[in-house]
Amino acid sequence: MKNLAAWISTLIMATILAAPLSARETGLAGTAPKRLAKGNVTALAAGPDATVLNINNLMLWVDRDGFFPWTHNYAASWAAEYPKGTAGLIFAEGVLWGAKVDDAGTRDNTKPRLRVNGATYATGLKAGKVLYDGSGKVTGADENPGDRHVWRVRRDYQTADLTEDAASFFTLSIDAVTSAEIQAVYDQYDYDWQNWPAAEGAPFEEVNGDGNYDPLVDIPGEPGAAQTIWLVANDLPYDDGREVAPNSYGSPATGMELQLTLWAYDFAPDNPLGNMLFKRARLIYTGLAGGPADAKLDTVYFT
């Protein structure tokens, strides 16, 4: 089986330039909240199943499997809103691909050659990275949910007023946020900073030049970004043979790993960067466990 043989990368920039006024600007100013005593953040290893990009005038929810659902904004039912705190911009979205597959299933006529998967109104992905043996052959996928939360970092989390962060994450009004909810957001930021999965492909800003992520020196996240979300998902069958891939368009698994990075910058709404978010989707064709070493894709489409 090929080891990370085919890479498909794209950079998507979502830009909205509208009235330079955030609906939540009023009432957000003030002193930073008093920090509670830091708790044991190792309890946050499982982390959240979903999180929100909300550093500027946009707000976007994403699940740990790379699906952007409408289910987390309980009051309004949409995945993204703009300006933040007002109207829905995106109902739901996700990464989608189609390809002609040449693997064991194609060759023995047990699986179709043409396969489509990803996420639209349902998802054919599950959280976790693809696993390999010592020789580079695919053995399956990580199925430990404790290691598979969606990661989020913010450069200034130690000094920032996290009240609005807590309001967004817990879908509360600013006035309803408690110190415990602010602390929970702080602790998750802290855990994700200390344990950032750089070795799995999560981006970080290299400071000391040794090539390895050091949370005491380096800065996790897209270099220069104010807030970054990173996750890894795949469409491989579970160890017991169950498949998630058919949930999207009925196709069996392709053998893909998706690494998704979202980032944004903390600018005011009258600056274009205050009304943008960035996405980078990296698709890695791994093939399926037990498949032939020369398995490949042909005529790949990505959206």
Side-chain angles (χ1 to χ4, degrees):
M1 184 68 64
K2 73 236 60 57
N3 184 6
L4 312 188
W7 294 72
I8 309 163
S9 298
T10 187
L11 178 65
I12 307 168
M13 179 178 68
T15 309
I16 301 92
L17 302 177
L21 176 65
S22 169
R24 288 187 179 172
E25 279 188 295
T26 303
L28 291 184
T31 58
K34 183 179 179 180
R35 295 278 173 243
L36 305 178
K38 250 180 89 171
N40 179 7
V41 297
T42 57
L44 302 176
D49 290 337
T51 196
V52 60
L53 193 74
N54 65 332
I55 199 71
N56 57 28
N57 206 22
L58 278 155
M59 187 166 78
L60 176 66
W61 279 95
V62 62
D63 284 350
R64 64 180 186 164
D65 58 10
F67 183 38
F68 298 79
W70 62 93
T71 54
H72 299 295
N73 189 333
Y74 302 113
S77 295
W78 51 60
E81 59 186 37
Y82 176 83
K84 182 168 57 180
T86 60
L89 171 68
I90 298 168
F91 177 68
E93 65 169 311
V95 174
L96 189 67
W97 69 84
K100 296 176 182 177
V101 183
D102 180 4
D103 63 9
T106 307
R107 296 172 189 179
D108 65 12
N109 294 316
T110 59
K111 293 184 179 180
R113 176 171 169 77
L114 182 62
R115 301 178 205 170
V116 176
N117 197 14
T120 52
Y121 293 103
T123 180
L125 300 170
K126 56 184 172 62
K129 61 183 178 180
V130 175
L131 302 178
Y132 304 86
D133 64 17
S135 66
K137 294 181 179 180
V138 172
T139 59
D142 183 3
E143 297 183 29
N144 181 4
D147 295 334
R148 290 299 107 218
H149 70 280
V150 54
W151 300 79
R152 184 176 70 154
V153 287
R154 175 173 170 164
R155 291 175 73 99
D156 64 348
Y157 80 97
Q158 291 184 323
T159 58
D161 182 344
L162 299 179
T163 306
E164 186 182 7
D165 242 327
S168 296
F169 186 81
F170 292 106
T171 61
L172 298 169
S173 67
I174 292 292
D175 294 340
V177 173
T178 66
S179 58
E181 287 155 346
I182 293 172
Q183 186 67 39
V185 170
Y186 178 93
D187 285 349
Q188 193 65 56
Y189 273 134
D190 191 65
Y191 179 87
D192 287 1
W193 186 291
Q194 299 298 330
N195 298 278
W196 189 244
E200 296 183 11
F204 68 98
E205 188 172 325
E206 175 69 82
V207 176
N208 59 7
D210 67 357
N212 299 311
Y213 175 66
D214 182 348
L216 299 179
V217 179
D218 300 321
I219 302 172
E222 187 68 20
Q227 188 181 48
T228 300
I229 292 172
W230 187 86
L231 61 90
V232 58
N234 70 87
D235 76 337
L236 274 67
Y238 286 101
D239 290 344
D240 62 9
R242 289 178 298 124
E243 287 209 36
V244 294
N247 293 339
S248 58
Y249 283 94
S251 296
T254 306
M256 287 283 203
E257 179 178 291
L258 168 67
Q259 297 182 13
L260 190 62
T261 307
L262 313 175
W263 71 95
Y265 301 90
D266 186 11
F267 285 90
D270 59 356
N271 185 306
L273 281 173
N275 300 279
M276 294 184 186
L277 63 86
F278 295 83
K279 303 178 186 179
R280 181 171 54 244
R282 175 172 288 159
L283 270 177
I284 305 166
Y285 176 52
T286 65
L288 302 173
D294 61 345
K296 59 183 180 293
L297 302 181
D298 180 27
T299 318
V300 180
Y301 290 84
F302 176 68
T303 185

